[in-house]
Amino acid sequence: MRVDPYAAETDPAQRAGRLGVGIVSAGRVGSVLGAALRGAGHHVVGVHAVSADSLSRAETLLPDVPVLPVPEIMRRSELVLLAVPDDVLGEVISGLADAGHIRQGQLLMHTSGLHGTDIAAPAQAAGAIALAIHPAMTFTGLSMDLQRLPSCSFAVTAATPVLPIAQALVVEMGGEPVVVAEEHRASYHAALAHASNHLNTLTAQSAHILSELGIEHPDRVLSALLHASLDNALASGEGALSGPIARGDVETVRHHLRALGAAEVPSDIRPAYIAMARATALRALERGVLSADRAQDLFGILQD
């Protein structure tokens, strides 16, 4: 159980080390983390928002915080939270540095899962202190996300002398800091994307098949199964593996492949089934769950 050292305080703003925080930009992540930092007593001095959705989120989650252009946010802020897409992060940081908007000692914290602090080299050369944090959860951009932060792990990357700063900021937002080395960020991000995004795709494909069979609420059919499977996988790892692949039920898998090859089944589903079935069989074989003979038979029919 995590102990909150500030639990007895009535006003978070009275804690030591409160910072003036600028948010760039008010997307789903930036607006929620900005609200979390504000709840921890930091003073959000400005937020950058352009689209109607961003302006609405800023108004809802960061009421009374002025919407400002980025240069003004940089001028006012001790800590700048860059919550921009991975592919533009480097360009944004370089642009800020080239334009002279970086101040000596300014904390520059980004939320990219892919990148560590190397991408902030231009800002660091200008005197900024780079921190990389990434919350391992999906965001709705609604206030409900704030209640989910206490169960969320954050990947934290920073130079050793300032690593405690990044960790402390994560704890203040309610998260659990997990240190990830610079050279491991891409693998870390791939693992999360593989788990989250591909789970979404697999679920959507399965729901599509059920819907085509005339089942009106495929989500209800899948709900108990998927929740139990995820809980078991997280609790027991591959020891929770069950189903026709783990049992080596070759004929069952053969029937699956025939059904998925039907004209009415979208063409992306069968190759996805084959790829995941082969990966599952390989892991089951390596762990002794599946016999070599059964695995060979399965690999024989799992040809794309």
Side-chain angles (χ1 to χ4, degrees):
M1 178 179 180
R2 183 183 302 150
V3 177
D4 183 358
Y6 303 114
E9 295 187 10
T10 57
D11 185 2
Q14 299 305 311
R15 301 173 189 166
R18 300 304 85 191
L19 299 168
V21 179
I23 310 297
V24 182
S25 60
R28 295 180 181 180
V29 177
S31 55
V32 171
L33 296 188
L37 287 168
R38 193 184 200 187
H42 296 286
H43 178 47
V44 180
V45 298
V47 58
H48 181 65
V50 176
S51 70
D53 286 343
S54 293
L55 289 168
S56 177
R57 276 190 293 267
E59 182 179 356
T60 301
L61 290 170
L62 298 167
D64 303 322
V65 173
V67 176
L68 300 172
V70 174
E72 182 62 16
I73 289 175
M74 299 299 297
R75 188 185 69 81
R76 296 187 182 195
S77 304
E78 298 165 286
L79 167 64
V80 179
L81 178 65
L82 292 176
V84 299
D86 291 357
D87 286 354
V88 302
L89 178 61
E91 179 183 344
V92 169
I93 292 175
S94 296
L96 293 173
D98 292 344
H101 294 312
I102 305 294
R103 299 200 314 274
Q104 184 74 30
Q106 192 171 40
L107 295 169
L108 196 67
M109 183 167 70
H110 74 73
T111 61
S112 167
L114 177 63
H115 299 291
T117 56
D118 283 355
I119 197 168
Q124 293 179 93
I129 298 170
L131 311 172
I133 67 165
H134 176 256
M137 69 177 238
T138 57
F139 284 75
T140 64
L142 303 173
S143 59
M144 70 178 68
D145 292 339
L146 292 169
Q147 279 71 57
R148 297 169 61 199
L149 287 179
S151 62
C152 176
S153 294
F154 283 65
V156 176
T157 304
T160 301
V162 296
L163 182 60
I165 298 175
Q167 292 171 309
L169 288 167
V170 168
V171 170
E172 286 189 326
M173 288 186 283
E176 182 74 24
V178 177
V179 177
V180 177
E182 180 77 34
E183 63 270 22
H184 296 156
R185 290 289 291 213
S187 296
Y188 155 82
H189 195 235
L192 268 62
H194 186 41
S196 177
N197 301 152
H198 297 167
L199 176 62
N200 185 285
T201 300
L202 291 171
T203 303
Q205 289 178 336
S206 297
H208 183 102
I209 294 172
L210 296 177
S211 179
E212 289 297 310
L213 299 178
I215 295 174
E216 293 185 2
H217 300 288
D219 55 320
R220 297 180 187 174
V221 176
L222 292 170
S223 179
L225 172 67
L226 291 180
H227 280 94
S229 296
L230 180 58
D231 288 344
N232 290 340
L234 292 175
S236 304
E238 290 170 322
L241 183 62
S242 63
I245 297 295
R247 293 191 299 268
D249 291 345
V250 176
E251 290 307 312
T252 297
V253 175
R254 196 190 306 274
H255 281 293
H256 289 177
L257 294 174
R258 288 172 181 163
L260 295 177
E264 63 270 18
V265 177
S267 60
D268 63 305
I269 296 180
R270 191 172 188 272
Y273 178 99
I274 290 173
M276 290 306 302
R278 287 181 62 86
T280 302
L282 182 59
R283 297 183 77 85
L285 174 63
E286 290 175 345
R287 282 147 186 80
V289 176
L290 182 66
S291 71
D293 289 343
R294 284 292 186 176
Q296 184 175 1
D297 291 340
L298 282 170
F299 289 133
I301 65 170
L302 290 170
Q303 302 296 327
D304 192 357

